[in-house]
Amino acid sequence: MAPTRNAAIIFNELLVDGYPDPNKTVVYDANRTIDLENVNLGGGVLVKILYLSNDPFMRPKLSKPLNTGKWADDVFKLGEPLSNFGIGRVVRSEDAKFEVGDNVFGFFNFEEYVVVPAARIQKIVNKAGIPLLAYLNGAGLIGKTAYYGYKEYVEERKGQTIWISTGAGAVGSILIQLCKLGGLKVIGSAGSDEKVALMKELGADVAFNYKTTNLDEFFAKEGPIDIYWDHVAGSSLDAALAHINNGGRVVGCGAISGVNHGHEYPYKNIVNIVKRTLDVSGFSVLLPKLAERWEDSFEREVPILIAEGKIKTLEDFTPFEKTGEALLKIQKGENKGKSIIVVAEE
């Protein structure tokens, strides 16, 4: 059999500061090939990639590590493909747990075909009959991030008011719906009027464009808040600290405002963490204790909620060869919902 094209997205130029350049930071290489029938699997699995996840946390991996030693950062290697979570379909398998045609979730290189150890992938068992894409969104790590954080830090505060920054993003859009199902008053913020309308469609009680809103005036009317779910840090976090109740809770899930230009915001209200006895928690969906507590209930509940239309998933698609544009778009906050790279059609 003649070699098959195996295009890849290659890390081409180190970022020192600022946003990724779609034409320089990464390049689309369509000259790579693979022999699908004879490539050595080494006891593993050959997977055809269908969809890849594009996430804000990929930006620091395009630069030199900020930390070394114990706190060393994981970065991409120049001249090598990017990598992230994705969905694919088994083409060949030397592992009894996987058969040709199985849909799988795993951590993959940004290539059209990849050979991976069986331990690095898991079969997608779609009992709820939802779209496959949902397993890269609300039924996957994005949904788990919103669900685990909600169950661990928010659910017990039913009836209170939560402000969700980046409410039209991947995690925020799922979280708005979980919080409404759980009986909270939801305030959402985003950077465009279009996204404000989208948040209201998802159920937010109040939504605002942070670029055109005076936050002190807004929260004098709509606040105070009891919980702040942070995706951005910077001025939004500082405003939340100014308008949060005594005994309030801050949940840190991201800090996109400083990722591209440095975390140097001059906070004015940080002392309120102490003065108002706030509970401040940062978390990662990959924290083992959260999966131990909440993964089983997530698997039981969330796919069914998606199937029943009680949780809607939003996707923002980009063709594989335009991955560089998607990297820039998500860093500028221009995506609506989950940013997904389409490598091949199902």
Side-chain angles (χ1 to χ4, degrees):
M1 182 178 180
T4 300
R5 187 189 73 177
N6 192 24
I9 303 299
I10 304 299
F11 182 25
N12 181 64
E13 184 176 281
L14 197 69
L15 264 177
V16 177
D17 189 27
Y19 294 114
D21 185 325
N23 301 309
K24 295 181 179 179
T25 306
V26 299
V27 293
Y28 175 71
D29 183 354
N31 296 317
R32 299 157 65 101
T33 61
I34 187 172
D35 185 337
L36 298 178
E37 291 186 348
N38 298 302
V39 62
N40 182 17
L41 304 188
V45 181
L46 174 61
V47 178
K48 177 180 180 178
I49 304 302
L50 301 177
Y51 306 109
L52 291 163
S53 180
N54 177 34
D55 295 290
F57 63 71
M58 295 172 69
R59 167 59 181 84
K61 295 184 177 185
L62 298 168
S63 301
K64 288 183 178 180
L66 294 175
N67 302 295
T68 57
K70 180 179 179 180
W71 306 108
D73 299 302
D74 182 26
V75 295
F76 297 127
K77 293 182 179 179
L78 280 170
E80 296 293 329
L82 303 187
S83 55
N84 201 12
F85 298 100
I87 290 174
R89 185 162 293 144
V90 174
V91 176
R92 287 173 50 210
S93 175
E94 292 180 352
D95 187 283
K97 295 189 294 295
F98 297 96
E99 299 178 356
V100 173
D102 283 346
N103 294 319
V104 294
F105 172 84
F107 195 84
F108 302 118
N109 283 348
F110 274 42
E111 300 175 274
E112 291 180 296
Y113 296 90
V114 295
V115 175
V116 294
R120 279 181 46 188
I121 59 176
Q122 62 186 65
K123 189 183 300 185
I124 296 173
V125 182
N126 190 358
K127 294 180 180 179
I130 56 180
L132 184 61
L133 269 171
Y135 287 92
L136 207 56
N137 194 348
L141 285 179
I142 293 300
K144 288 180 178 179
T145 301
Y147 184 88
Y148 291 1
Y150 168 78
K151 298 292 283 189
E152 186 78 7
Y153 306 111
V154 176
E155 184 179 40
E156 66 188 37
R157 294 178 174 240
K158 181 176 181 178
Q160 295 188 350
T161 298
I162 183 172
W163 171 19
I164 302 169
S165 62
T166 318
V171 173
S173 60
I174 301 295
L175 184 63
I176 284 175
Q177 297 172 83
L178 287 173
C179 288
K180 287 309 300 175
L181 289 170
L184 284 91
K185 175 183 176 181
V186 176
I187 299 172
S189 61
S192 73
D193 292 343
E194 182 183 6
K195 290 183 178 181
V196 168
L198 179 59
M199 289 185 290
K200 290 180 178 178
E201 290 176 11
L202 293 174
D205 297 281
V206 187
F208 67 92
N209 182 342
Y210 70 87
K211 294 180 180 178
T212 59
T213 300
N214 181 304
L215 296 186
D216 289 330
E217 293 178 1
F218 176 85
F219 283 108
K221 177 182 178 182
E222 299 293 347
I225 60 173
D226 303 293
I227 312 160
Y228 174 58
W229 183 291
D230 192 21
H231 287 120
V232 295
S235 59
S236 291
L237 173 57
D238 210 29
L241 293 173
H243 296 282
I244 195 167
N245 276 322
N246 288 335
R249 174 165 287 173
V250 176
V251 183
C253 188
I256 190 65
S257 68
V259 166
N260 293 282
H261 303 289
H263 297 279
E264 300 177 354
Y265 184 83
Y267 291 94
K268 301 175 183 177
N269 301 304
I270 203 78
V271 70
N272 285 348
I273 292 174
V274 177
K275 291 175 65 177
R276 300 185 189 176
T277 59
L278 304 181
D279 181 352
V280 180
S281 301
F283 82 100
S284 164
V285 67
L286 301 179
L287 196 64
K289 71 173 186 180
L290 294 181
E292 290 171 7
R293 293 174 185 169
W294 305 117
E295 186 170 31
D296 287 347
S297 60
F298 173 86
E299 299 290 354
R300 288 195 309 269
E301 297 172 12
V302 173
I304 297 301
L305 289 172
I306 294 172
E308 293 175 345
K310 294 178 180 177
I311 289 182
K312 298 178 176 63
T313 60
L314 309 174
E315 289 84 27
D316 194 305
F317 298 110
T318 302
F320 190 44
E321 64 272 18
K322 301 292 185 182
T323 294
E325 295 178 10
L327 292 172
L328 175 61
K329 187 176 180 180
I330 200 170
Q331 294 302 322
K332 288 189 169 183
E334 295 174 353
N335 59 297
K336 293 184 285 293
K338 178 74 191 87
S339 177
I340 292 176
I341 309 298
V342 180
V343 183
E345 297 296 334
E346 293 181 40

